[in-house]
Amino acid sequence: MFYRPADGHGLPHNPFNAIVTPRPIGWISSRSASGQDNLAPYSFFNAVAYVPPQVMFASTGTKPDRDPGKDSLGNIEASGEFCVNIVSYALREAMNVTSGTYPADVDEFARAGLRKAPCETIACTRVADAPAALECKLTQVVRLEGAANYLVLGEVTGVHIDNAVLRDGMIDVLAFNPLTRLGYKDYSHITEVFSMSRPDE
Ligand SMILES: Cc1cc2nc3c(=O)[nH]c(=O)nc-3n(C[C@H](O)[C@H](O)[C@H](O)COP(=O)(O)O)c2cc1C
């Protein structure tokens, strides 16, 4: 089949995010001006540069008590800081709880029963049991096409890695066990790994 998005896909469910898949999940923690901790998953997320290390996530749509955007975007625009926590397979249910559309004064860490840990380089809380976390300073918010689409870019200023996922100085992906987002309501995690050397290596 072929479709032009402007004309509609004609399928029971939008296939777009089942095509761009699997996606990593950035579990974004941020803090409001009043000191309220916030946590939510964003799968329009990725790393975009090595030196200095930079990441991005995209906020799409609005929520009733926050327009434009969502709590994460609003907090990050105000504070200039955020932390990207990695969701392990073991934390999948807690991640799902934090995706609910809660009022801005709800602490999703508490709602999902997650242990908190302080960040080192930013005034923000991170998920203590995440296998890794990237502390970030906001560099840019880019307004995208459409009603409420925003690209948030940040520079990584601190990196946490759970020592338990390190083997011989490298991250063991099976121990790291990141949850990935597929299309629709589907998720996956990595159970098999293979390596390839590039032609110039
Ligand atoms: C796995 C997963 C991935 C998600 N990815 C995104 C995303 O990339 N962008 C987005 O705007 N919302 C995404 N959402 C929805 C947000 O998590 C949800 O709107 C949340 O309530 C936003 O919280 P906040 O207002 O505290 O930022 C995702 C939800 C789930 C479960």
Side-chain angles (χ1 to χ4, degrees):
M1 68 172 284
F2 169 80
Y3 71 95
R4 297 174 199 275
D7 299 337
H9 45 73
L11 298 169
H13 301 285
N14 188 345
F16 178 64
N17 79 345
I19 294 170
V20 184
T21 185
R23 294 186 305 285
I25 301 171
W27 206 3
I28 310 293
S29 52
S30 59
R31 185 172 286 171
S32 74
S34 63
Q36 176 71 49
D37 284 331
N38 192 84
L39 181 66
Y42 285 79
S43 67
F44 288 160
F45 158 73
N46 224 309
V48 291
Y50 281 121
V51 184
Q54 290 158 77
V55 296
M56 53 109 340
F57 76 91
S59 180
T60 65
T62 58
K63 65 192 287 274
D65 64 344
R66 171 94 67 172
D67 193 14
K70 298 180 176 180
D71 292 338
S72 302
L73 177 70
N75 289 347
I76 293 164
E77 284 188 308
S79 69
E81 299 175 334
F82 62 100
C83 184
V84 179
N85 304 272
I86 299 302
V87 185
S88 61
Y89 180 68
L91 292 174
R92 64 195 182 283
E93 298 287 354
M95 178 285 296
N96 199 32
V97 170
T98 66
S99 74
T101 307
Y102 306 115
D105 61 1
V106 168
D107 179 338
E108 289 89 356
F109 285 87
R111 183 63 71 104
L114 288 161
R115 293 195 313 129
K116 295 181 177 184
C119 288
E120 302 287 332
T121 66
I122 56 174
C124 190
T125 296
R126 63 189 173 89
V127 177
D129 295 310
L134 305 173
E135 300 183 4
C136 301
K137 300 244 192 225
L138 175 68
T139 54
Q140 286 182 63
V141 174
V142 180
R143 183 81 204 264
L144 303 176
E145 295 300 306
N149 300 319
Y150 298 86
L151 182 65
V152 178
L153 289 147
E155 179 177 336
V156 177
T157 54
V159 178
H160 299 264
I161 305 171
D162 181 351
N163 288 330
V165 306
L166 289 172
R167 300 258 186 286
D168 302 325
M170 297 202 291
I171 291 177
D172 175 344
V173 75
L174 296 179
F176 196 53
N177 207 1
L179 189 70
T180 70
R181 183 81 164 101
L182 307 178
Y184 315 113
K185 295 182 177 180
D186 298 338
Y187 295 84
S188 190
H189 68 123
I190 294 157
T191 56
E192 194 182 318
V193 178
F194 62 90
S195 300
M196 289 195 292
S197 295
R198 286 166 57 169
D200 52 1
E201 284 174 332

